[in-house]
């Protein structure tokens, strides 16, 4: 690996307008601003790739100074890539230029590769700027060159807007004649400027005045609504799928140690599900996940035996390992890729642009009893992984499936119901029976199958019994015996309703902001019913007897009703939200529903003494 530091060379392409030192009043809410950003991607005739990146960023607050803005991290593989730092300096508010000192260039093993011998050759070069203060400007420019065939093709996924505003962002792509560039621009309407430069065909996008992204709760996790440029020099997913689907047999081969570990893990497990989940836990819990970007590995993965022997692997390597171990028992299993749905054409199913960085490889598909289930390789798992990925599509890496078309997962409605008969005595002890019904994503099928006792954590109870458990539904009976269930205050008795921590409450929506700029995304459409009947001692009557509150609007409907009859109080809470995605113009209605649903007044009962 060759690393050169060439101080204080400024390219003329950075115009005089970008040298203006803005006042922080221009961005009153920003901690920092990019005055200029540039990236130039070059694909050479021999297949080698060069990326030149330049950034000029002004720090506006002490928060920015103390938040790591004054450094640039460059991840690379010394065996196949070289880094040249061209410019690294700080311009103080008084105009002095302070170059990064020699000890400001720090090479280290990236944290994503720690604990891995196989990827221990990877390096991170961190360029650390000095003389930082509010108003200072940091400049950094470098090139990253990859040797021929290290990366299978030229591609990039450029998120154009981030946490801080950008004055100017220029992206240029240079490719040889005879090679096509496939690109797609999301949430912006602009065509590239095309031309020729030193024997290359060029495509240039220049974006001005990109605002900062304001983070909002429950926004699309993949940045669906943000401006983004994706480009690639290949137009088909088939080479990628073939690379995975036709992995040579040695990739999935096993040694005796692996086979014995599988047998130990499934020993005593009765059902197919329990055995497969035990193998999944073996990979998830005993093999460390290395979150190394696929580009840093040259988009390569080691065979299962090597990953097992090292007890560490990238998500893709762990997917191959898990598929291998499951296949050792006679069941089928395939690594599976996930991609955000907005990257695909809804009519053809093809990716708008084929770029490996768009895909996530931490899932394995396992067909069981005529249905396909999806397992994580790198985290605890309580249910089928697909429930965690609304708005994404599945790409099975299975050579038996052709043509390769992403599969859209239809998000089922999450349904939750709770019904119970409870008795509250004058000592404030609440006893009775409650039944909970979980459907769709609310059903923690994998967890309840392997650990039925977990049901006790879903509801305040003395005991719990899972009386029915299927992949799509769970039915749980609870025995309730709550001491000190009532708070006494000046002759009044306050009972907080014994509600489950599943259902809509588990989404963690509260508190909701008063305004919304982007769509709010739920896990799934929601339907929920809570019905509790309380038998009281003769000396108490409810204050809120015979009361009903209903609301129906563009986001859904809600009913909360208190009924007092024959010495019994029945509380009914019912809500339905039919759409998973709440658009900004319906957000006020959605907030009204959730605020009422979660209002403390409607989650308790107040009694008073007759005497």
């Amino acid at each position: 690996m060759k690393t050169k530091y060439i101080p204080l060379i400024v390219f003329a392409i950075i115009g005089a307008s970008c040298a203006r030192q803005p006042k922080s009043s221009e961005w009153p809410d920003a901690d920092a601003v990019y005055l200029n950003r540039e990236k130039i991607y070059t694909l050479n005739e021999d297949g080698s790739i060069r990326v030149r990146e330049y950034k000029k960023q002004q720090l506006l607050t002490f928060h920015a100074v103390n938040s790591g803005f004054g450094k640039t991290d460059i991840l690379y593989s010394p065996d196949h890539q070289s880094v040249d730092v061209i410019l690294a300096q700080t311009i103080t508010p008084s105009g002095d230029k302070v170059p990064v000192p020699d000890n400001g260039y720090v090479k280290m093993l990236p944290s994503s590769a720690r604990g891995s011998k196989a990827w221990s050759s990877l390096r991170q070069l961190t360029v650390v700027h000095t003389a930082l203060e509010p108003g200072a400007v940091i400049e950094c420019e470098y090139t990253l060159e990859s040797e021929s065939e290290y990366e299978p093709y030229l591609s990039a996924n450029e998120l154009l807007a981030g946490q801080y505003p950008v004055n100017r962002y220029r992206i240029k792509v240079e490719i040889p004649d005879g090679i096509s560039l496939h690109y797609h621009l999301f949430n912006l309407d602009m065509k590239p400027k095309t031309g020729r430069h030193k024997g290359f065909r060029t495509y240039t996008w220049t974006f001005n005045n990109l605002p900062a992204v304001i983070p909002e709760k429950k926004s699309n996790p993949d940045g669906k609504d943000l401006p983004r440029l994706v480009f690639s020099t290949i137009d088909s997913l088939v080479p990628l799928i073939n690379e995975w689907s036709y992995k040579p047999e040695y990739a999935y081969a096993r040694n005796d140690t692996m086979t014995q570990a599988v047998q130990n893990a499934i020993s005593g497990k009765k059902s197919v599900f329990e055995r497969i989940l035990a193998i999944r836990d073996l990979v998830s819990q005993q093999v460390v996940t290395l979150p190394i970007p696929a580009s840093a590995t040259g988009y390569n993965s080691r065979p299962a035996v090597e990953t097992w022997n090292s007890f560490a692997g990238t998500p893709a390597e762990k997917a191959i390992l898990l598929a291998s171990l499951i296949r050792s028992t006679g069941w089928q299993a395939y690594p599976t890729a996930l991609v955000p749905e907005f990257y695909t054409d809804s009519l053809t199913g093809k990716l708008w642009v084929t770029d490996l960085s768009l895909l996530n490889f931490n899932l394995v598909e396992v067909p069981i009893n005529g249905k396909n289930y999806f397992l994580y390789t790198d985290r605890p798992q309580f249910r089928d992984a697909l429930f965690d990925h609304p708005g994404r599509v599945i790409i099975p890496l299975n050579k038996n499936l052709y043509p390769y078309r992403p599969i859209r997962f239809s998000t089922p409605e999450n349904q939750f119901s709770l019904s119970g008969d409870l008795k509250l005595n004058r000592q404030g002890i609440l006893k009775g029976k409650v039944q909970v019904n979980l459907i769709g994503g609310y059903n923690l099928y994998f967890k309840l199958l392997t650990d039925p006792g977990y049901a006790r954590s879903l509801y305040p109870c003395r005991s719990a019994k899972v009386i029915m458990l299927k992949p799509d539904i769970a039915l749980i009976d609870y025995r309730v015996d709550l001491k000190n269930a009532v708070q006494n205050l000046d002759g009044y008795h306050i009972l907080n309703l014994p509600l489950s921590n599943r259902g809509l409450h588990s989404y963690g929506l509260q508190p909701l902001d008063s305004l919304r700029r982007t769509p709010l995304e739920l896990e799934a459409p929601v339907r929920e019913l809570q019905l509790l009947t309380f038998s009281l001692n003769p000396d108490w009557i409810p204050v809120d007897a015979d009361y009903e509150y209903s609301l129906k609007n563009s986001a859904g409907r809600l009913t909360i009703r208190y009924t007092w009859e024959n010495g019994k109080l029945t509380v009914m809470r019912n809500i339905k939200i039919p759409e998973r995605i709440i658009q900004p113009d319906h957000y006020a209605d959605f907030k009204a529903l959730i605020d009422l649903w979660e209002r403390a007044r409607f989650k308790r009962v107040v009694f008073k003494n007759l005497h």
Side-chain angles (χ1 to χ4, degrees):
M1 209 296 288
K2 181 181 179 183
T3 306
K4 298 185 294 184
Y5 308 119
I6 308 176
L8 304 180
I9 295 179
V10 182
F11 283 83
I13 199 169
I14 303 164
S17 62
C18 295
R20 179 174 60 93
Q21 302 299 309
K23 298 178 181 179
S24 60
S25 59
E26 296 181 48
W27 300 277
D29 299 321
D31 289 313
V33 58
Y34 283 103
L35 305 179
N36 193 18
R37 294 192 70 183
E38 293 196 7
K39 285 189 177 181
I40 299 178
Y41 293 85
T42 304
L43 175 63
N44 296 308
E45 290 279 1
D46 63 356
S48 62
I49 294 172
R50 181 178 69 254
V51 179
R52 182 176 76 93
E53 181 167 359
Y54 170 82
K55 69 175 181 178
K56 186 175 186 179
Q57 184 180 33
Q58 185 174 39
L59 311 183
L60 303 178
T61 66
F62 283 105
H63 181 266
V65 172
N66 298 320
S67 298
F69 285 90
K71 65 185 182 72
T72 301
D73 295 325
I74 308 168
L75 179 64
Y76 64 100
S77 173
D79 295 335
H80 306 282
Q81 295 176 302
S82 63
V83 176
D84 293 343
V85 178
I86 299 168
L87 171 68
Q89 67 178 8
T90 301
I91 305 175
T92 68
S94 61
D96 294 331
K97 297 179 179 180
V98 182
V100 170
D102 290 343
N103 63 0
Y105 299 93
V106 183
K107 293 181 183 179
M108 65 186 77
L109 181 70
S111 59
S112 59
R114 289 174 187 166
S116 170
K117 181 179 179 180
W119 301 111
S120 61
S121 63
L122 295 178
R123 286 296 177 267
Q124 176 178 298
L125 174 63
T126 298
V127 182
V128 184
H129 292 254
T130 58
L132 302 181
E133 60 179 299
V137 174
I138 61 173
E139 281 189 292
C140 188
E141 182 173 7
Y142 67 89
T143 62
L144 174 65
E145 299 202 31
S146 304
E147 66 183 25
S148 176
E149 298 183 357
Y150 178 65
E151 298 184 51
Y153 50 85
L154 174 65
S155 67
N157 176 11
E158 292 289 347
L159 184 61
L160 303 174
Q163 189 176 358
Y164 307 102
V166 182
N167 264 11
R168 178 178 179 270
Y169 197 168
R170 177 174 174 267
I171 297 175
K172 183 177 181 181
V173 183
E174 301 175 332
I175 58 174
D177 288 328
I179 295 180
S180 299
L181 184 70
H182 309 275
Y183 55 86
H184 193 86
L185 184 61
F186 296 88
N187 301 308
L188 284 177
D189 185 13
M190 177 189 294
K191 292 184 179 180
K193 180 181 178 180
T194 59
R196 301 189 66 83
H197 177 67
K198 295 183 179 180
F200 290 92
R201 287 187 296 116
T202 63
Y203 299 76
T204 305
W205 292 262
T206 302
F207 308 97
N208 296 305
N209 301 317
L210 295 168
V213 175
I214 300 175
E216 293 185 298
K217 181 182 294 186
K218 300 294 181 182
S219 294
N220 183 277
D222 300 307
K224 174 182 177 181
D225 304 297
L226 301 180
R228 182 189 304 268
L229 173 64
V230 182
F231 60 82
S232 172
T233 53
I234 64 170
D235 66 346
S236 173
L237 198 62
V238 173
L240 166 65
I241 301 300
N242 283 343
E243 172 68 18
W244 277 92
S245 301
Y246 292 91
K247 284 283 187 185
E249 284 305 312
Y250 74 81
Y252 294 96
R254 297 165 294 277
N255 59 28
D256 293 341
T257 303
M258 295 164 66
T259 302
Q260 186 59 52
V262 169
Q263 293 303 314
N264 293 340
I266 66 176
S267 177
K269 304 296 189 295
K270 298 180 180 179
S271 69
V272 172
F273 258 117
E274 288 178 288
R275 294 176 183 178
I276 288 178
L277 291 175
I279 299 172
R280 192 212 74 87
D281 290 345
L282 185 65
V283 173
S284 174
Q285 297 173 11
Q286 296 192 26
V287 180
V288 175
T289 300
L290 303 172
I292 303 172
S295 59
T297 68
Y299 301 98
N300 291 312
S301 299
R302 295 174 295 157
V305 171
E306 291 186 24
T307 303
W308 174 264
N309 289 338
S310 66
F311 287 99
T314 65
E317 290 172 339
K318 290 183 67 173
I320 293 173
L321 173 61
L322 179 56
S324 169
L325 296 182
I326 292 176
R327 292 180 186 184
S328 73
T329 63
W331 297 302
Q332 293 300 308
Y334 310 96
T336 299
L338 273 177
V339 61
E341 187 174 26
F342 66 87
Y343 284 134
T344 64
D345 185 325
S346 60
L347 296 178
T348 65
K350 291 181 60 178
L351 286 173
W352 285 114
V353 174
T354 303
D355 177 14
L356 283 167
S357 71
L358 307 180
L359 307 182
N360 191 337
F361 294 98
N362 67 334
L363 292 181
V364 169
E365 176 187 14
V366 183
I368 302 175
N369 299 328
K371 182 178 178 180
N372 295 330
Y373 296 88
F374 295 85
L375 307 179
Y376 287 119
T377 65
D378 56 358
R379 68 191 71 176
Q381 183 165 357
F382 289 7
R383 59 184 183 175
D384 192 327
L386 288 190
F387 289 114
D388 300 326
H389 298 284
R392 293 175 178 169
V393 295
I394 310 152
I395 303 177
L397 306 179
N398 179 356
K399 65 184 179 181
N400 298 319
L401 298 178
Y402 188 87
Y404 304 114
R405 182 183 177 91
I407 301 171
R408 283 170 168 76
F409 175 58
S410 179
T411 307
E413 184 178 66
N414 281 352
Q415 297 182 28
F416 172 90
S417 65
L418 177 154
S419 61
D421 290 305
L422 302 164
K423 184 174 182 180
L424 182 63
N425 66 23
R426 65 185 62 190
Q427 286 77 37
I429 299 174
L430 187 67
K431 292 186 176 183
K433 299 178 181 179
V434 171
Q435 187 172 88
V436 170
N437 192 356
L438 305 170
I439 297 176
Y442 287 152
N443 179 18
L444 306 179
Y445 176 63
F446 291 174
K447 183 64 175 178
L448 293 173
L449 179 67
T450 57
D451 181 13
Y454 186 78
R456 294 191 61 180
S457 69
L458 305 180
Y459 190 81
C461 65
R462 182 183 69 189
S463 63
K465 183 178 181 180
V466 180
I467 60 174
M468 182 173 69
L469 183 62
K470 296 181 179 180
D472 56 348
I473 185 172
L475 197 61
I476 308 171
D477 278 349
Y478 290 96
R479 294 279 183 174
V480 177
D481 188 357
L482 299 179
K483 306 293 192 298
N484 303 315
V486 171
Q487 296 176 341
N488 299 311
L489 182 64
D490 296 331
Y492 290 88
H493 313 282
I494 302 172
L495 170 69
N496 290 319
L497 296 177
L499 302 174
S500 173
N501 58 19
R502 293 299 291 162
L504 186 58
H505 179 72
S506 67
Y507 286 178
L509 293 170
Q510 291 288 86
L512 287 170
D513 294 331
S514 57
L515 299 175
R516 185 83 186 187
R517 298 172 179 83
T518 60
L520 181 147
E521 297 198 9
L522 300 174
E523 178 183 282
V526 172
R527 184 193 300 265
E528 188 163 340
L529 174 64
Q530 303 168 355
L531 186 64
L532 294 171
T533 299
F534 300 91
S535 299
L536 308 180
N537 74 76
D539 296 333
W540 291 2
I541 62 170
V543 174
D544 296 319
D546 299 319
Y547 175 84
E548 179 174 325
Y549 193 98
S550 296
L551 177 62
K552 183 177 180 180
N553 58 32
S554 65
R557 57 177 172 80
L558 170 151
T559 301
I560 298 174
R561 181 186 303 129
Y562 294 79
T563 306
W564 174 247
E565 186 176 6
N566 298 326
K568 292 186 177 182
L569 175 69
T570 300
V571 179
M572 189 275 289
R573 292 164 47 88
N574 183 22
I575 189 170
K576 180 177 181 180
I577 300 174
E579 299 295 333
R580 187 182 75 83
I581 299 177
I582 310 299
Q583 298 297 334
D585 54 348
H586 293 164
Y587 176 74
D589 284 350
F590 174 78
K591 183 178 185 302
L593 288 172
I594 300 303
D595 286 348
L596 286 171
W597 185 253
E598 295 291 353
R599 186 175 294 178
R601 173 188 172 189
F602 296 140
K603 299 173 77 171
R604 68 188 179 201
V605 180
V606 180
F607 306 99
K608 66 179 180 179
N609 290 325
L610 281 176
H611 308 292

